[in-house]
Amino acid sequence: TLQYNSFEDPRCEGYLEDGRTGMSPSTLKRAFLNNLFYVQGKFKALATPNDYYMALAYAIRDRLLQRWINTAAIYTAQGSRTVAYFSAEFLMGPHLGNNLINLDIYKDVEKGIAEMGLNLGELLEQEEEPGLGNGGLGRLAACYLDSLATLEIPSLGYGIRYEFGIFDQEIEDGWQVEITDKWLRFGNPWEIARPEWAVEVKLGGHTDHYVDDHGRYRIRWVPDQQVTGIPYDTPILGCQTNTANTLRLWTAEAPESFNFNAFNSGDYLGAVYEKVVSENISKVLYPNDDSSQGKKLRLTQQYFFVSCSLQDMIRILVGQELPLEKFHEKFAVQLNDTHPAIAVAELMRLLIDMHHMSWDSAWSITQRTFAYTNHTLLPEALERWPVELFGSLLPRHLEIIYELNDRFLDEVRIKFPEDDSRLSRMSLIDESGERYVRMAHLACVGSHAINGVAALHTELLKQDVLYDFYQMYPGKFQNKTNGVTPRRFMVLSNPALTELVTSKIGDTWIKNLGELQKLEAWADNPEFQQQWRQIKQANKQELAAYIQKHNGIIVDPNSIFDILAKRFHEYKRQYLDLLHIVTLYNRIKANPDIEITPRTFIFGGKAAPGYFMAKLIIKLINSVADVINRDPDVRGRLKVVFLKNYNVKLAQRIYPAADLSEQISTAGKEASGTGNMKFALNGALTIGTLDGANVEIREEVGAENFFLFGLTAEQVYAKRASGYNPMEYYNSNAELRLALDRIASGFFSHGDTELFKPLVDSLLHHDQYFLLADYQSYIDCQEQVGLAYRDQDRWTHMSILNAARMGKFSSDRSIQDYCREIWKVEPVTITLENSEVTDS
Ligand code: B1H
């Protein structure tokens, strides 16, 4: 039995507080100092901020472990139905602060740390964030894990433990420079390796058709490479609950036995080379957002983590003495886009080849297991793999896909006879030119539910990209509008606003965001308005200090903080924001006395390293900033700031300080957006198009509290169909012409007229994303924003109502919808009584 120390103030009766589980301030303090000594091997005089961070992280991890082990024990004992969220990306953000919030000990720890002469904020700053995602899709997965745990839903996140996450962005001479993200450099206190649950993954080679000892026809995959997947587990704690679920990420290693032939034949370097090749699989995250690269290594990554995860789930099933026939009863698997869609073929292979199930049983289990979330309509993001490449890596899966396709096309023929064009449109194989495997089609056929991520997006999926599949299987289609976790994006990142809100309506809104509605009663209360404004002002001052420290630019916290923060992509139209900036600049230059509400334009975001136009837009922002910030004529009225290395940590500083949230994508292009929700939750007003979740945000907050501009998706389609000519707008709009001419003239590029030519030309001659068509509407709308800001009472009223009406956009709501309508899974309560820790 364990030896317990006795402590002065155990929190609850009958509960033994030991040095690793106790939550009282004195116990926490002692645990922290113990870790500093015994884990970091330091005492105060020598300790670095990182030592302090690590000492605290381990103290908090100890508090999680009891919950984590109990959660696993109870799920195992009850054989609970479990959600498995398959995602190539999990953009988790730093763990420590979030765990303090969810354990509900943030304030106590902050106080205890201060008593030791330290500052919690500085320790939190030390944590290197696990940036294992690109943007919205990866962050959505992270918010969903938070909500799943908070709602006490048994769940596992499955993905890849990339050694290098999304690159760090530096700016040199205005250009983006990419630096590798060595996030594991100082060790990761949140993960535990589980080498005892390693699995083997085969790659390449060919298939063998043979007759087994019982005279049965069988197929065997003879691979030419094998890698080992090692799981690393991270606890995902719910908010104010004992549930701690697991994020299980796979690292690729060479099998120990691998290539001993090469060793034996003396080819030591050859054998080590093979090892390097294996370990490359989980080396680096592909840094593209909303586009697919078509590289073999990427397909290998996808197959690697999917195969590891499905084998792991079979191990769990067998461990609970459940038959394989119950796979779909034990697990609901969500495919986060098509990146894990190979799972459909892999589960078929495992059930048929490895576990000798019949095709029909395997198919019935497979379809009842998977559900597929589509995140984009952009054609360049739809994953397709050349059949050749696919077959060279996954020969058996290609056979399975052909067989699936034959059976599927027979179904199509029965429902839609004599319709060859439909057959070729729907086929799992694109045969219009070079042959490709269509991953979205595989995901649709292999899933019982297909969902989009906002109402408009789901409608467009049904009408356009997946039209044929909607006709074939209308019952499979559902909408699940995205959501964000209020724990990280409000309670943790905006403590002052959290406290104000809680002082008025209590704290139950944190787990039931709909209750924010009660704030409406305060929207016109002068005292409350003043407090609301003061908090926004203080948050802006903090961001201003950050800007001064990192950019050397002094910005005015009384100006409108007008913020566009997201990945760089032409469809997101950062360039349109720039055209507004240049237009205001031109107005002031032409008429120095003009009245303009002072603004600070703040940008943040990364461009994919190979995306030339996106990188050129970053350069243009920095070039415009250089000129405007130095020009005495606009001093006190316009400032432009590019914040480098936008990531979860920086996002947490930005949302609380925003007055205006820029959500200006071309209608029909942004599937949902989630930044839009985080800004509004923190009291920013939105200027936006009718795109993605903007539509629903506007519905919720009311049209009068939302700055709407631009063409609708339908109008965009109509314009494209009738032959859009951007030059007409250029010729007929003097201000627009002036803005573009300024950029083209070399005014922002030291006289260089070539530098930004590709940007100007692309607008004048193609303008794929309708910037010129939306320009005037945007400028007019921004004028309204400037006027509204001058009436601070009105602005504050709108700001309060925006936050008060964000209830729908909690990821708790999204997850409840998924649980009820797709996964059919129920909560399981985790108690700490009978805990293995306290019982033993
Ligand atoms: C979204 C992606 C994406 N949609 C391919 N698609 C990737 C596609 O590495 N790749 O190959 C990576 C990411 N990401 C985003 O998902 C949408 O653009 C947003 O509108 C949406 O809010 C977010 C979450 O649903």
Side-chain angles (χ1 to χ4, degrees):
T1 53
L2 288 169
Q3 284 297 307
Y4 295 108
N5 300 317
S6 65
F7 294 108
E8 50 273 41
D9 67 340
R11 253 188 201 186
C12 30
E13 212 121 29
Y15 167 71
L16 260 182
E17 175 164 289
D18 77 4
R20 295 193 128 174
T21 60
M23 298 281 223
S24 74
S26 57
T27 310
L28 282 165
K29 234 196 261 186
R30 184 167 20 227
F32 171 78
L33 291 172
N34 272 340
N35 287 341
L36 188 64
F37 193 89
Y38 290 108
V39 180
Q40 294 305 109
K42 288 277 181 80
F43 54 95
K44 275 186 127 186
L46 282 190
T48 64
N50 189 61
D51 289 326
Y52 288 129
Y53 157 70
M54 289 295 240
L56 183 57
Y58 279 109
I60 300 311
R61 193 182 89 168
D62 285 342
R63 271 85 198 144
L64 300 184
L65 272 168
Q66 182 194 21
R67 288 165 174 74
W68 202 13
I69 289 167
N70 263 24
T71 302
I74 290 171
Y75 291 167
T76 305
Q78 302 189 357
S80 317
R81 178 164 168 80
T82 300
V83 175
Y85 200 83
F86 277 24
S87 180
E89 306 188 10
F90 286 93
L91 192 42
M92 299 301 291
H95 291 290
L96 177 55
N98 199 247
N99 283 328
L100 293 176
I101 293 297
N102 283 1
L103 282 171
D104 206 9
I105 55 172
Y106 189 99
K107 287 241 163 89
D108 289 346
V109 168
E110 189 176 36
K111 189 160 154 277
I113 291 286
E115 284 166 11
M116 292 183 280
L118 297 167
N119 177 298
L120 178 60
E122 277 168 29
L123 300 200
L124 296 182
E125 223 8 75
Q126 291 300 311
E127 183 170 350
E128 210 44 92
E129 75 171 72
L132 308 187
N134 276 287
L137 174 143
R139 184 54 234 178
L140 186 76
C143 284
Y144 282 0
L145 294 188
D146 180 86
S147 287
L148 281 162
T150 297
L151 294 166
E152 307 181 314
I153 304 296
S155 52
L156 277 158
Y158 276 117
I160 301 172
R161 181 175 174 272
Y162 301 105
E163 186 178 338
F164 302 113
I166 188 67
F167 61 86
D168 283 333
Q169 178 193 53
E170 286 287 341
I171 301 295
E172 279 175 23
D173 187 30
W175 294 98
Q176 167 176 298
V177 174
E178 300 91 23
I179 314 285
T180 49
D181 162 48
K182 299 190 180 136
W183 71 288
L184 292 166
R185 196 168 18 193
F186 299 117
N188 175 5
W190 303 105
E191 67 183 9
I192 294 183
R194 307 284 191 195
E196 67 276 24
W197 294 330
V199 298
E200 298 300 317
V201 175
K202 302 180 230 182
L203 301 167
H206 60 275
T207 60
D208 230 6
H209 294 231
Y210 67 105
V211 176
D212 74 7
D213 300 343
H214 308 282
R216 273 178 307 223
Y217 177 76
R218 292 222 183 277
I219 302 173
R220 173 162 59 200
W221 179 9
V222 186
D224 61 12
Q225 199 193 339
Q226 205 170 336
V227 295
T228 304
I230 315 279
Y232 284 71
D233 288 357
T234 300
I236 305 296
L237 181 70
C239 179
Q240 295 169 30
T241 154
N242 294 316
T243 299
N245 289 325
T246 296
L247 169 62
R248 181 161 290 168
L249 301 179
W250 300 94
T251 285
E253 286 190 5
E256 259 167 69
S257 63
F258 192 68
N259 229 352
F260 58 87
N261 282 337
F263 269 114
N264 290 343
S265 63
D267 186 8
Y268 174 71
L269 291 181
V272 172
Y273 175 76
E274 295 286 348
K275 185 172 153 70
V276 169
V277 170
S278 297
E279 293 176 357
N280 267 342
I281 293 172
S282 56
K283 188 66 72 179
V284 60
L285 168 75
Y286 275 89
N288 303 306
D289 191 61
D290 256 330
S291 89
S292 156
Q293 266 245 336
K295 287 277 193 291
K296 188 168 185 173
L297 179 59
R298 167 75 174 182
L299 180 60
T300 310
Q301 289 184 335
Q302 297 181 346
Y303 176 64
F304 165 72
F305 96 84
V306 158
S307 179
C308 289
S309 307
L310 289 172
Q311 292 185 63
D312 192 55
M313 290 157 70
I314 290 175
R315 175 187 60 79
I316 292 170
L317 193 80
V318 170
Q320 294 179 11
E321 290 172 15
L322 292 166
L324 229 45
E325 283 69 23
K326 293 201 182 249
F327 189 90
H328 61 285
E329 292 177 25
K330 171 70 190 172
F331 291 110
V333 178
Q334 193 67 29
L335 302 174
N336 199 22
D337 215 289
T338 54
H339 317 150
I342 186 62
V344 171
E346 174 68 355
L347 183 56
M348 288 296 283
R349 184 189 72 85
L350 289 169
L351 295 179
I352 295 169
D353 294 0
M354 309 303 286
H355 298 277
H356 308 308
M357 203 179 271
S358 73
W359 180 281
D360 290 332
S361 313
W363 185 235
S364 155
I365 290 168
T366 298
Q367 280 192 314
R368 285 187 281 174
T369 296
F370 293 110
Y372 157 54
T373 304
N374 173 289
H375 292 266
T376 182
L377 304 163
L378 297 189
E380 64 266 34
L382 296 179
E383 290 191 299
R384 6 171 259 167
W385 299 101
V387 163
E388 187 87 355
L389 180 155
F390 194 99
S392 72
L393 184 71
L394 303 170
R396 176 62 183 133
H397 298 76
L398 188 57
E399 288 180 351
I400 290 172
I401 287 170
Y402 280 146
E403 171 83 36
L404 275 175
N405 201 33
D406 287 345
R407 293 169 183 244
F408 167 61
L409 292 179
D410 281 345
E411 252 185 80
V412 178
R413 268 186 210 98
I414 289 168
K415 187 143 182 181
F416 303 98
E418 323 292 334
D419 192 347
D420 282 354
S421 72
R422 183 185 300 267
L423 291 175
S424 64
R425 287 199 310 271
M426 297 187 77
S427 172
L428 303 186
I429 310 292
D430 178 348
E431 304 194 87
S432 55
E434 191 196 345
R435 289 154 73 231
Y436 292 96
V437 181
R438 293 163 158 162
M439 299 310 274
H441 293 203
L442 179 62
C444 285
V445 173
S447 298
H448 63 275
I450 302 166
N451 75 282
V453 290
L456 173 66
H457 170 62
T458 301
E459 281 314 303
L460 294 176
L461 267 185
K462 293 195 282 191
Q463 288 167 26
D464 189 27
V465 177
L466 297 179
Y467 174 79
D468 291 314
F469 286 89
Y470 180 56
Q471 290 210 324
M472 180 85 192
Y473 309 117
K476 283 192 187 184
F477 283 74
Q478 302 191 23
N479 176 245
K480 292 288 167 284
T481 298
N482 284 167
V484 302
T485 172
R487 272 72 67 180
R488 182 177 292 274
F489 292 108
M490 180 76 160
V491 182
L492 176 60
S493 56
N494 202 343
L497 202 61
T498 296
E499 194 168 312
L500 175 63
V501 168
T502 298
S503 75
K504 296 300 180 208
I505 66 171
D507 67 3
T508 47
W509 59 274
I510 293 169
K511 292 177 75 163
N512 185 4
L513 203 64
E515 290 185 18
L516 282 182
Q517 212 171 52
K518 295 183 191 151
L519 284 180
E520 287 190 29
W522 297 88
D524 293 309
N525 178 298
E527 197 195 340
F528 185 79
Q529 279 209 351
Q530 202 200 336
Q531 292 170 315
W532 190 270
R533 265 198 299 274
Q534 272 170 0
I535 289 167
K536 182 62 81 181
Q537 192 70 8
N539 291 339
K540 287 167 74 177
Q541 262 153 8
E542 276 190 42
L543 187 62
Y546 181 93
I547 290 170
Q548 187 171 358
K549 180 167 170 213
H550 290 85
N551 297 57
I553 300 170
I554 294 177
V555 302
D556 176 8
N558 292 310
S559 63
I560 303 178
F561 276 21
D562 174 336
I563 308 187
L564 203 169
K566 52 181 81 244
R567 284 297 290 256
F568 273 79
H569 199 295
E570 287 161 281
Y571 85 77
K572 296 180 190 276
R573 301 200 296 190
Q574 281 91 352
Y575 194 2
L576 181 59
D577 192 327
L578 263 175
L579 291 179
H580 173 233
I581 297 171
V582 174
T583 299
L584 291 182
Y585 179 71
N586 289 341
R587 283 183 186 173
I588 298 173
K589 294 301 273 186
N591 177 6
D593 297 326
I594 193 174
E595 275 227 51
I596 279 179
T597 313
R599 290 206 198 211
T600 302
F601 295 93
I602 300 169
F603 291 88
K606 295 173 183 175
Y611 191 168
F612 171 72
M613 290 297 243
K615 292 176 111 172
L616 195 54
I617 292 168
I618 291 179
K619 171 67 177 168
L620 179 56
I621 291 172
N622 285 310
S623 303
V624 169
D626 275 349
V627 171
I628 288 184
N629 296 344
R630 276 188 293 116
D631 190 334
D633 292 352
V634 301
R635 184 162 301 153
R637 294 196 274 183
L638 301 182
K639 279 276 161 68
V640 181
V641 175
F642 185 94
L643 287 173
K644 70 173 187 190
N645 204 32
Y646 181 64
N647 57 10
V648 176
K649 249 181 179 175
L650 183 53
Q652 288 174 209
R653 294 178 177 274
I654 287 181
Y655 301 127
D659 293 309
L660 187 65
S661 157
E662 297 272 354
Q663 306 299 335
I664 60 179
S665 52
T666 315
K669 294 292 176 188
E670 188 71 89
S672 164
T674 44
N676 46 5
M677 302 164 187
K678 298 164 198 167
F679 276 106
L681 178 61
N682 284 273
L685 305 191
T686 304
I687 182 164
T689 49
L690 282 179
D691 199 15
N694 294 354
V695 177
E696 292 155 78
I697 290 175
R698 180 166 171 270
E699 248 166 48
E700 293 295 303
V701 305
E704 67 286 6
N705 299 306
F706 186 103
F707 295 100
L708 177 70
F709 77 96
L711 299 171
T712 62
E714 227 170 309
Q715 290 167 334
V716 168
Y717 292 130
K719 239 187 194 358
R720 188 176 292 120
S722 67
Y724 170 53
N725 180 7
M727 202 57 107
E728 282 169 22
Y729 291 89
Y730 174 82
N731 288 327
S732 64
N733 188 324
E735 272 200 311
L736 170 60
R737 196 162 58 242
L738 194 61
L740 281 171
D741 289 353
R742 268 262 150 101
I743 295 168
S745 74
F747 185 87
F748 299 112
S749 42
H750 311 287
D752 183 346
T753 54
E754 288 301 307
L755 183 59
F756 298 123
K757 199 170 183 323
L759 286 179
V760 177
D761 284 354
S762 100
L763 286 197
L764 294 181
H765 303 306
H766 310 284
D767 195 16
Q768 210 192 144
Y769 298 108
F770 295 81
L771 279 76
L772 301 201
D774 276 349
Y775 170 83
Q776 195 56 50
S777 167
Y778 182 55
I779 297 293
D780 294 343
C781 191
Q782 286 285 18
E783 187 108 37
Q784 295 307 308
V785 170
L787 290 176
Y789 195 75
R790 284 160 180 259
D791 180 349
Q792 279 286 295
D793 289 349
R794 172 169 167 231
W795 186 277
T796 309
H797 166 91
M798 291 167 76
S799 166
I800 295 168
L801 290 185
N802 263 264
R805 296 174 178 175
M806 278 303 108
K808 173 173 175 185
F809 304 102
S810 168
S811 43
D812 299 343
R813 187 274 310 150
S814 310
I815 287 298
Q816 278 165 330
D817 291 350
Y818 277 97
C819 286
R820 202 174 326 111
E821 293 154 22
I822 298 181
W823 301 331
K824 321 280 183 201
V825 48
E826 300 285 336
V828 171
T829 308
I830 306 299
T831 54
L832 292 184
E833 285 107 59
N834 305 320
S835 143
E836 301 206 346
V837 174
T838 51
D839 252 12
S840 45

